[in-house]
Amino acid sequence: MNGYMGRMLWVDLTAGTIEPMPLDGELREKYVGGYGIGARILVDKIPAGADPLGPENVLGFITGPYTATDAVVGSRYVVVGKSPLTGGWGDANSGGYFGPALKQGGVDAVFFTGISEKPVYLLVEEGEAKLCDASGLWGMSVSATEDRLKEDLGKDARAAVIGPAGEKLSRIAAIMNDYGRAAGRSGLGAVMGSKRLKAIVARGKAKVPVADPERLKGLRSKASKQIKDGTGFSSFYTATGTAGYTVIGAESGDSPVKNWKGAAGVDYEYPKEFTYEAQEPHIEKRWGCYRCPIVCSRMVKVKDGFYAGAKGHIPEYETQSAYGSNVVNYDYRSVVKANEICNDQGLDTISAGATVAFAIECFEAGILTEKDTDGLKLDWGAHQSIVKLTEMIAERRAIGDLLAEGPVLAAQKLGKGAEAFAIHAGGSPLPMHDPRFEPTLAVIYRTNASPGRHTQACQYLLAPNHPVKDMPMFGQGTDVQEGRGKYIRVATAMAHIFNCVGTCLFAYLSLEMDMLIEQLSAITGKEWTFDELVETGERIENVRQAFNWKHGIRPMEVEISDRAIGVPPLKEGPTAGVTVDIEKLTAEYFEDMGWDVGTGRPSVERLKRLGIEELAPAFG
Ligand code: SF4
C-alpha cells in the first residue's frame, strides 16, 4: 500500500450514505492513481446514456502516489466524471494544497453519486467523512466560501469548492481550491452543482506510507538541486511561470488571435503590457503549491487605472491568451479582472475567454445584437465589455444565460452560421495552443478521450534524459508533417502517468526523467521502468476511450473546428499557409496505438497486451 492511504469513499448523496471502497493492488499497479484509477472505476459505474447532470453521473476526487509525500512535486489531485460539455470522459486537475490535505485526511479518493436534497459539503478527516449542511454557503463566491469554511473549521481546512457558476450548472464551470487554483476543464463544476455539493473540505496530519523514505528524501534533495541548477525548463518556471510565455506565444503563432481567424503580428501586434517586466509592478509576492521548490505562481493586485484593486493568482498563460490575443485585448489589467471574476465565480478561464471571443464574433456578424446583450456593445479589444460579459456569463444574465452553456451549445441554439465561430474539439473550447503552430495538437485535440486539451499529451514536455530521443520538439516547424504522429502514443502515455501520480507537468518539464521514475519507485517500492510507465499510460488512455465508446463517442467522429487546422490556411503571420494533415497524423498515431485507422477501435490483441481485454465489449 506504499504511496497510498488504502482508503477510498463512495458517497451516495441521494441516500446520504458514505461507504468505504477498497483500493486493491490491481487498481494501484495497473492504473497508478488519479484519473487512471478513476477511469477504471467509472467505466463500470456510470451507465451508458447517463445524463452528466443527473444522479447517475459519478464525480470523483482522486490523488496519486506522489501526493503529500516528500516527492518533488506531490501537490495535485484530479476530478473525474462524465463531462456535461462533451458528453464523454471528463477530467481536470489542480495543484495547491487541497489534494495533499485530502490524502493527509486519510483517504486517496472520494466518489459522489446521486443528488442531495439540499446543499451539502463533505468533511474528511482521519479517514472518516461526514456530510454537513451547506445551505448557508449556497450562492457564495469561491473566496467567501473558503473564508467561511476556514472560520468555521479552522485555518488548516482545505477545500475544493464551486462558485455560483457551478451552482447554476454552467457547462464551463470549474472546481476551485486555494482561492484561485482550478480543476477547470470538462465542465465538472456543473456536475458538482447538479449534485448540490458545494465543497469537499479536508484536513489532517496522516503520513503517507512510503516504501523507502530515506531514498525519497535523498531524491528530494537531488531534485531540488536539479531545479536550482536550471534543469529542463525549471529556470523559466522559477523566474516567471507561464506568465512569462504570453509574448512568446503571441509572436510565434502559438497563441490564437481574434477567435482563431487572425494572424499574429498582423491582427494582434506585440502586446507590450503582457511582457513579464510589465506585469511585475502588479506582483505582490511569489506563490507555490504544496512543498514545490519551483514556486511558479504569483499573487497580483492591479496598482492603478480602471481595474485598480483587481487581485488574485496571477493569470496563467492560458488565461492571458484567452483574454488577450484571442479577443485582441491589449489591456493587461482587464485580464487580471476577468481572471478574478472567473476564479471567484468558478468559471474555467480557457472556456470563458473562448466563449467571449465567440460572442464578439457573433456580434460582429449581427447574430447577436444589443437587444441580446442588455445593451452591451461587443467588439474586439473592448476590454470593459469583455469583463462585463464574463460577469454576465457567471451570473447567467441576459445573453450570459445562453453563453454559460459554452460556445458549441450556444451556437446550436443561435444558428445563422454561429457554429463556425465556436472553436472547439468535441464540444470543448480549445486551449491557447494552435495546431497550425504544432500540428500534432490537432490529433490530440480531436482524438484524446478528453478532447480539446493541451495537458493530455505533452510532446513538448521533453524531460531531460527522455529515452525517445528523436521525438520532435513542440513547435519545431510545420513543413514536415509526416512521421510526427507516431510519437503521440508515448507523449500521451507519459502525460497520463505524471497527471495520475499527483505531480505537476511543470515538474515533469523541470526534472530529469530518471528522477521522476525513481521517485515513484522509492514511494511505491516497485522499481518502475520507462517502458512500463508508457504501457501503463497507454492502458489508461484505452480505458478512457472505452468510457467514450460506451457513451457513444468514437474518436474519428469527434469534430474539430476548421480554423484550428488551417482550413482555409491563414494568409499572413508566422503560420501563414499551414494546413494540418490531420488524417495522416491521426493514421500514424492510431497505427502506433494498435487502433483501427478507420474507426479508432483498439485491436483485441492490443487490449490483451495491456491486460484490459475485459473491456473489449465496450468498443462494440
Ligand atoms: S510548478 Fe507551479 S503549478 Fe506546479 S506544483 Fe510548483 S507552484 Fe504548483
Side-chain angles (χ1 to χ4, degrees):
M1 209 53 97
N2 287 316
Y4 307 86
M5 304 312 290
R7 191 169 172 79
M8 302 193 292
L9 301 174
W10 185 262
V11 182
D12 184 333
L13 289 164
T14 305
T17 56
I18 303 170
E19 301 287 341
M21 269 175 91
L23 176 54
D24 63 39
E26 182 169 320
L27 270 180
R28 297 194 308 267
E29 288 225 352
K30 284 174 84 170
Y31 304 101
V32 187
Y35 57 69
I37 287 176
R40 188 61 196 88
I41 292 173
L42 267 54
V43 75
D44 291 338
K45 294 279 189 188
I46 301 178
D51 176 358
L53 301 180
E56 291 175 323
N57 199 2
V58 177
L59 186 70
F61 293 74
I62 315 162
T63 59
Y66 265 50
T67 314
T69 67
D70 270 338
V72 175
V73 182
S75 63
R76 298 187 91 86
Y77 71 102
V78 303
V79 190
V80 298
K82 183 172 180 177
S83 165
L85 203 49
T86 68
W89 174 254
D91 61 50
N93 99 35
S94 180
Y97 294 80
F98 171 73
L102 186 62
K103 213 160 157 193
Q104 289 167 334
V107 302
D108 297 294
V110 186
F111 296 90
F112 295 90
T113 187
I115 291 181
S116 175
E117 208 178 305
K118 59 180 188 190
V120 289
Y121 71 87
L122 186 81
L123 176 62
V124 179
E125 47 189 347
E126 292 180 13
E128 299 298 331
K130 62 177 178 187
L131 286 166
C132 308
D133 183 15
S135 305
L137 300 173
W138 205 250
M140 276 188 177
S141 69
V142 167
S143 58
T145 304
E146 289 200 55
D147 281 347
R148 175 68 67 81
L149 288 167
K150 281 186 187 297
E151 274 166 33
D152 291 352
L153 300 166
K155 283 209 175 342
D156 59 339
R158 302 282 184 178
V161 312
I162 52 168
E167 293 174 13
K168 292 177 180 166
L169 309 184
S170 167
R171 289 172 200 263
I172 57 172
I175 295 167
M176 310 297 301
N177 57 277
D178 297 290
Y179 299 86
R181 310 309 288 185
R185 306 309 320 271
S186 304
L188 296 174
V191 178
M192 199 159 159
S194 74
K195 296 192 174 304
R196 295 198 189 91
L197 178 65
K198 180 68 178 176
I200 307 180
V201 191
R203 63 180 173 190
K205 292 194 169 59
K207 247 186 132 32
V208 180
V210 164
D212 191 340
E214 282 312 307
R215 182 180 173 200
L216 186 62
K217 216 182 247 178
L219 289 168
R220 181 174 180 87
S221 303
K222 281 191 198 159
S224 300
K225 184 164 182 325
Q226 284 186 9
I227 288 163
K228 218 168 159 199
D229 291 347
T231 305
F233 288 82
S234 56
S235 312
F236 165 72
Y237 284 116
T238 303
T240 69
T242 65
Y245 182 70
T246 306
V247 171
I248 302 166
E251 287 202 293
S252 63
D254 186 26
S255 310
V257 170
K258 213 175 190 181
N259 200 28
W260 296 75
K261 69 174 175 173
V266 180
D267 298 285
Y268 191 65
E269 291 166 11
Y270 182 77
K272 61 179 190 306
E273 272 204 33
F274 289 76
T275 62
Y276 189 72
E277 292 67 36
Q279 297 179 48
E280 267 181 323
H282 307 292
I283 293 174
E284 299 216 299
K285 60 177 182 181
R286 295 168 68 91
W287 193 92
C289 303
Y290 175 83
R291 302 194 65 205
C292 175
I294 300 172
V295 194
C296 77
S297 188
R298 311 284 184 266
M299 299 306 289
V300 294
K301 188 170 185 184
V302 173
K303 295 287 175 303
D304 49 21
F306 185 76
Y307 301 103
K311 62 182 193 310
H313 290 256
I314 193 168
E316 299 286 341
Y317 160 71
E318 292 292 324
T319 311
Q320 296 198 19
S321 177
Y323 276 96
S325 63
N326 206 33
V327 289
V328 201
N329 182 11
Y330 294 96
D331 189 299
Y332 174 76
R333 292 159 177 81
S334 70
V335 178
V336 176
K337 183 65 190 173
N339 191 48
E340 181 186 65
I341 294 165
C342 288
N343 288 346
D344 222 22
Q345 299 297 308
L347 282 173
D348 166 27
T349 56
I350 296 175
S351 294
T355 305
V356 170
F358 160 80
I360 294 172
E361 196 164 354
C362 285
F363 200 91
E364 186 180 55
I367 297 168
L368 290 177
T369 67
E370 284 174 62
K371 268 197 211 152
D372 305 299
T373 60
D374 228 3
L376 201 63
K377 280 192 188 132
L378 300 180
D379 200 0
W380 303 112
H383 54 86
Q384 290 191 22
S385 61
I386 287 167
V387 167
K388 199 90 201 139
L389 187 62
T390 303
E391 277 171 0
M392 289 165 75
I393 294 170
E395 292 164 9
R396 297 200 81 135
R397 185 157 50 80
I399 192 62
D401 187 39
L402 180 62
L403 296 175
E405 297 288 279
V408 176
L409 283 179
Q412 282 169 10
K413 291 206 176 123
L414 287 171
K416 301 179 193 162
E419 291 88 344
F421 307 153
I423 311 304
H424 72 106
S428 176
L430 293 185
M432 301 297 119
H433 297 287
D434 194 325
R436 292 166 292 190
F437 176 75
E438 171 47 61
T440 55
L441 285 174
V443 181
I444 296 161
Y445 288 167
R446 178 171 68 160
T447 67
N448 191 275
S450 178
R453 302 283 299 281
H454 65 296
T455 54
Q456 301 289 300
C458 304
Q459 76 280 37
Y460 46 98
L461 296 186
L462 287 179
N465 294 349
H466 197 301
V468 186
K469 297 287 179 213
D470 51 351
M471 190 188 284
M473 183 66 175
F474 179 74
Q476 273 186 346
T478 50
D479 306 351
V480 183
Q481 296 195 24
E482 197 171 314
R484 297 168 74 106
K486 65 180 180 175
Y487 295 102
I488 299 172
R489 178 180 64 88
V490 177
T492 302
M494 292 314 278
H496 286 344
I497 290 301
F498 292 111
N499 284 329
C500 288
V501 298
T503 194
C504 170
L505 289 177
F506 301 159
Y508 175 22
L509 192 57
S510 300
L511 293 172
E512 294 188 354
M513 178 62 78
D514 296 350
M515 170 62 66
L516 292 153
I517 298 173
E518 252 204 85
Q519 289 193 100
L520 186 60
S521 302
I523 292 167
T524 59
K526 170 184 158 64
E527 289 303 316
W528 288 91
T529 65
F530 179 79
D531 289 343
E532 281 169 341
L533 288 175
V534 170
E535 187 175 284
T536 304
E538 193 183 328
R539 183 182 301 122
I540 291 169
E541 178 57 15
N542 276 277
V543 176
R544 294 158 94 239
Q545 292 286 349
F547 182 95
N548 277 357
W549 280 74
K550 180 176 172 183
H551 292 268
I553 294 175
R554 314 278 182 265
M556 287 305 282
E557 293 166 15
V558 170
E559 188 190 334
I560 182 166
S561 296
D562 282 348
R563 278 183 200 175
I565 54 172
V567 177
L570 289 172
K571 292 197 172 77
E572 297 174 284
T575 56
V578 175
T579 298
V580 177
D581 193 344
I582 191 167
E583 300 311 330
K584 183 183 283 173
L585 292 168
T586 301
E588 288 176 358
Y589 169 50
F590 281 13
E591 268 170 31
D592 208 46
M593 284 293 277
W595 294 355
D596 179 79
V597 169
T599 62
R601 179 184 284 112
S603 69
V604 174
E605 294 71 46
R606 184 61 70 101
L607 293 176
K608 271 191 188 148
R609 204 178 90 194
L610 295 170
I612 49 171
E613 60 270 30
E614 78 276 10
L615 290 176
F619 293 98

